[in-house]
Amino acid sequence: MTMFDWQVKNGDSVVAPHERLSWPRTVGIGLQHVVAMFGATFLVPVLTGFPPATTLLFSGIGTILFLIITQNRLPSYLGSSFAVIAPTIAASTSHGPSGALGGIVVVGALLMAVGVIVHFVGIGWIEKLMPPVVTGSIVALVGFNLAPVAKSNFEAAPVTAFIVLALLLLSLVLFRGLLGRLAIFLSVVVGYFIALARGEVDTDPIGAADWVGLPDFTAPTFHLSVLPMFIPVVLVLVVENIGHVKSINTMTGINNDHRIGKALAADGLATVIAGSGGGSATTTYAENIGVMAATKVYSTAAYWIAGAAAILLGLSPKVGAVIASIPPGVLGGVTVALYGLVGILGVHIWVTNKVDFSKPINQFTAAIALVVGIADFSWTIGDLSFGGIALGAISAVVIYHVMRIIGTWRGTVDLEPTSEGVEPIDPNDMTTPGNGPELAGKQGI
């Protein structure tokens, strides 16, 4: 079979990645993927101040590149990663958007390098470097570090924010299937109209924007001082991608472990390209895992449709202007939940891997890393400034391995196994993005 030679499948049975339904039905499934990814993908550029249309464009391009590099065998959509929000905001404050883009490019390059290594030697070294207690701690502190940002947005328009948060929670318990998975998207849309009625939306830029045109592009600049903020994000993206592949394995019954290296490299390349033009870092998306779980259609053909649709949306400045006009109150409502869910995803990693917190090695690895990350400790050495995420991630890795080495030597540490790997994500969970994470159908981080 060639890469684009999908076998046509009829009826309502399960559709494998190398199969497809008729083109009209495939287009319909592809558009569902667009709707599923849209809520989280546009939120990241809005929260970080990047042009939404640019991010959508590079999201579609990245998805198509991912499909090509993985030879059309890994169904996945590459949307905006939530893991990069905190370092992007911090870097933009000190060096402007271009400085943040430089950090995103470095993240992508490092992820590509990890992908090449994994392709040739496997993921065993990752599992040893980052056992579940370390992985969960890093993922958790990335989310909880953003709590002050959520508070700031919420306080900008507390009435609107409270209504949006309430709508989000009600959507989760009132609706089943795809509507339930689109809780973020639905609450933002309804919240937008509420904010519009309350006079909180500036519509002038929408009227001035063209329907068709190129989005705004920005070239990256590179500053050594921003790198400590971004490097921990590489670890999160590695975990997200491995979790995504494991989920696909579970759902399809096809072992794709030998494609993990290509998946990592493909996501890295997509992130480099996005960062080079003004887009956000990309990651594999849980929302789209949710669509596949609901439809039982795992065809990569549907993702080609989704990628192409995202590119078309990115070529409409009018769409970008509407997204960019979402007011802080609406964002405050959803980010209180979303940022918390990124943190809870770290807890989910601990639970699914049965991390034993009666053991001091696990207690102190997680405890110190979380406090450092949540309190946003900082440490400056010359031109280098290490923030809470970087210091927390470093703390988790160093504390665990130092305690393990000394404890083994002294015979005082009952070690947690380090070879459990990354637990596959339950596609029926209603937790977040790339992601990362999203509340709309569940991805991994």
Side-chain angles (χ1 to χ4, degrees):
M1 290 177 58
T2 63
M3 187 168 67
F4 298 104
D5 187 17
W6 293 284
Q7 297 175 4
V8 180
K9 195 77 173 286
N10 296 315
D12 296 322
S13 56
V14 174
V15 180
H18 62 280
E19 300 172 334
R20 68 168 175 85
L21 298 170
S22 64
W23 280 116
R25 294 182 67 185
T26 297
V27 169
I29 296 293
L31 294 180
Q32 285 188 61
H33 282 298
V34 172
V35 174
M37 69 82 185
F38 196 81
T41 294
F42 80 71
L43 270 181
V44 175
V46 170
L47 294 171
T48 56
F50 284 7
T54 309
T55 292
L56 287 172
L57 175 67
F58 284 116
S59 173
I61 292 173
T63 297
I64 290 175
L65 281 174
F66 184 95
L67 294 170
I68 293 173
I69 293 172
T70 58
Q71 298 174 301
N72 250 353
R73 292 298 181 265
L74 279 179
S76 177
Y77 188 88
L78 294 190
S80 304
S81 171
F82 271 63
V84 80
I85 292 175
T88 298
I89 293 173
S92 295
T93 300
S94 57
H95 295 285
S98 63
L101 290 172
I104 290 173
V105 170
V106 171
V107 166
L110 291 174
L111 187 59
M112 287 177 63
V114 172
V116 171
I117 296 172
V118 167
H119 182 69
F120 289 104
V121 304
I123 62 172
W125 64 280
I126 295 176
E127 296 171 348
K128 288 182 173 60
L129 176 67
M130 296 191 302
V133 64
V134 173
T135 303
S137 299
I138 294 172
V139 172
L141 68 86
V142 167
F144 294 141
N145 177 266
L146 289 165
V149 179
K151 179 185 177 184
S152 175
N153 282 329
F154 197 99
E155 290 179 339
V159 174
T160 301
F162 179 81
I163 293 172
V164 171
L165 181 58
L167 287 172
L168 172 58
L169 298 176
L170 287 173
S171 297
L172 288 170
V173 294
L174 288 176
F175 302 124
R176 297 177 180 271
L178 187 60
L179 283 178
R181 294 189 174 96
L182 295 177
I184 295 175
F185 182 73
L186 292 175
S187 61
V188 169
V189 170
V190 176
Y192 184 89
F193 284 107
I194 291 173
L196 188 64
R198 291 172 55 84
E200 298 171 354
V201 179
D202 180 9
T203 59
D204 290 340
I206 300 173
D210 295 328
W211 280 103
V212 178
L214 290 175
D216 295 327
F217 295 111
T218 304
T221 58
F222 298 91
H223 306 274
L224 187 62
S225 59
V226 308
L227 296 186
M229 307 177 197
F230 284 91
I231 290 176
V233 174
V234 179
L235 305 180
V236 178
L237 295 180
V238 167
V239 175
E240 287 182 339
N241 277 274
I242 293 175
H244 184 86
V245 175
K246 295 290 187 180
S247 295
I248 293 173
N249 290 352
T250 301
M251 296 171 73
T252 65
I254 301 172
N255 189 342
N256 290 290
D257 284 358
H258 60 290
R259 295 191 172 98
I260 289 177
K262 288 184 177 180
L264 291 167
D267 191 10
L269 177 59
T271 296
V272 167
I273 292 173
S276 298
S280 300
T282 61
T283 188
T284 48
Y285 252 35
E287 290 79 355
N288 301 93
I289 286 279
V291 172
M292 290 190 290
T295 63
K296 306 302 180 186
V297 176
Y298 309 105
S299 173
T300 55
Y303 283 95
W304 279 88
I305 301 298
I311 291 173
L312 292 176
L313 287 173
L315 294 175
S316 176
K318 184 78 72 177
V319 172
V322 171
I323 296 171
S325 68
I326 297 173
V330 175
L331 298 178
V334 294
T335 53
V336 165
L338 284 180
Y339 294 163
L341 281 172
V342 177
I344 293 301
L345 202 50
V347 178
H348 177 73
I349 292 174
W350 293 333
V351 172
T352 55
N353 287 280
K354 299 180 175 63
V355 175
D356 186 355
F357 279 106
S358 68
K359 299 177 181 179
I361 186 172
N362 293 331
Q363 292 173 352
F364 286 94
T365 295
I368 295 173
L370 285 177
V371 169
V372 170
I374 293 170
D376 202 19
F377 280 38
S378 62
W379 182 29
T380 301
I381 310 175
D383 292 334
L384 289 177
S385 180
F386 296 83
I389 291 178
L391 293 175
I394 294 169
S395 298
V397 174
V398 172
I399 290 170
Y400 178 85
H401 287 289
V402 168
M403 290 185 70
R404 180 182 63 83
I405 292 169
I406 296 176
T408 301
W409 169 54
R410 294 290 295 163
T412 58
V413 173
D414 181 15
L415 293 177
E416 182 78 13
T418 60
S419 59
E420 295 180 48
V422 179
E423 186 74 13
I425 292 160
D426 179 0
N428 295 313
D429 259 356
M430 285 195 301
T431 44
T432 38
N435 46 159
E438 245 88 37
L439 196 164
K442 169 71 194 175
Q443 149 165 334
I445 183 179

